[in-house]
Amino acid sequence: MKQPRAWQRMLSGRRLDLLDPTPVDIEIEDIAHGLAFVARWNGQTRGDWPYSVAEHSLLVEAIFTRLMPEAPVKWRLAALLHDAPEYVIGDMISPVKAAVGPAYGELDKRLAAAIHIRFGLPAEVPKTVKAQIKKADQMSAWLEATQLAGFSEKEADRFFTAPKPGLVAGLCLHLRPPVEVRAAYTARHAELLALL
């Protein structure tokens, strides 16, 4: 019996095996392109453009940097790349992830390890750093929920972490065309790599 195809052709020309990804098949342009077209909140946000995973990742990295101003640049890069596997597996909202079970998490973990190695990070981010990235992720989700996804602050408080106002002062949520978000994500990635 013929095995089903488990790879995807990327716009860079790479052929990424989703079940056994290798760092040599990872390109930042593919990640940025894919994430700029993946909508957070299953697209259920206000505005003329979807709020993309690329935009979310930029926000998470900014919040993480404010939470951990002394953190090495490599962990800021890890924050930017925290949802990078979604460039090929998409963004599932938490209730769907729970319904799918551990298979999605295992796929995400394998892809994340290959991505991390590709950009000079350890395959697994230390638990203490991962916890701070998750905290920034939850704060980002609270901002997104209340500003874009129709949640009241009270409702968002039940599911996410409300950021202290001073921590997010001056940060604003962007709704931009994918081409602009892709460019911003790629540029931020290059800035962080240059600082390593």
Side-chain angles (χ1 to χ4, degrees):
M1 186 168 195
K2 188 176 177 183
Q3 290 283 59
R5 180 171 64 92
W7 57 268
Q8 179 174 344
R9 173 80 57 203
M10 309 298 351
L11 289 178
S12 65
R14 299 283 188 191
R15 193 166 106 164
L16 181 66
D17 184 332
L18 301 178
L19 300 179
D20 188 22
T22 62
V24 296
D25 292 323
I26 308 289
E27 297 292 344
I28 194 59
E29 293 79 11
D30 293 332
I31 293 171
H33 183 81
L35 295 183
F37 281 92
V38 175
R40 293 263 300 159
W41 306 94
N42 279 348
Q44 298 302 304
T45 53
R46 297 181 185 104
D48 294 332
W49 298 101
Y51 186 74
S52 72
V53 174
E55 202 73 78
H56 161 77
S57 297
L58 289 163
L59 181 60
V60 169
E61 189 264 327
I63 293 171
F64 173 80
T65 299
R66 290 177 179 206
L67 277 171
M68 306 289 294
E70 303 301 319
V73 173
K74 66 182 178 180
W75 302 140
R76 291 164 52 192
L77 180 60
L80 181 70
L81 296 170
H82 81 283
D83 278 341
E86 294 178 8
Y87 86 109
V88 287
I89 59 175
D91 179 34
M92 285 192 205
I93 59 173
S94 296
V96 174
K97 285 180 187 174
V100 170
Y104 178 89
E106 285 303 312
L107 184 58
D108 182 90
K109 188 176 179 179
R110 283 194 299 272
L111 284 163
I115 291 164
H116 288 168
I117 292 167
R118 169 66 174 89
F119 298 113
L121 299 172
E124 285 192 43
V125 175
K127 288 180 183 178
T128 54
V129 175
K130 195 169 187 171
Q132 291 302 313
I133 293 172
K134 186 64 177 171
K135 189 174 182 181
D137 188 39
Q138 287 285 302
M139 290 179 185
S140 173
W142 189 93
L143 290 171
E144 295 163 15
T146 58
Q147 294 181 28
L148 299 173
F151 284 59
S152 69
E153 289 189 6
K154 184 177 180 182
E155 185 179 27
D157 287 346
R158 288 188 11 233
F159 300 107
F160 312 109
T161 303
K164 291 188 170 99
L167 184 68
V168 294
L171 294 178
C172 61
L173 302 184
H174 296 283
L175 293 174
R176 300 184 276 184
V179 67
E180 290 180 23
V181 181
R182 180 180 66 205
Y185 187 93
T186 305
R188 185 62 183 147
H189 181 265
E191 289 169 5
L192 291 171
L193 277 186
L195 294 171
L196 283 177

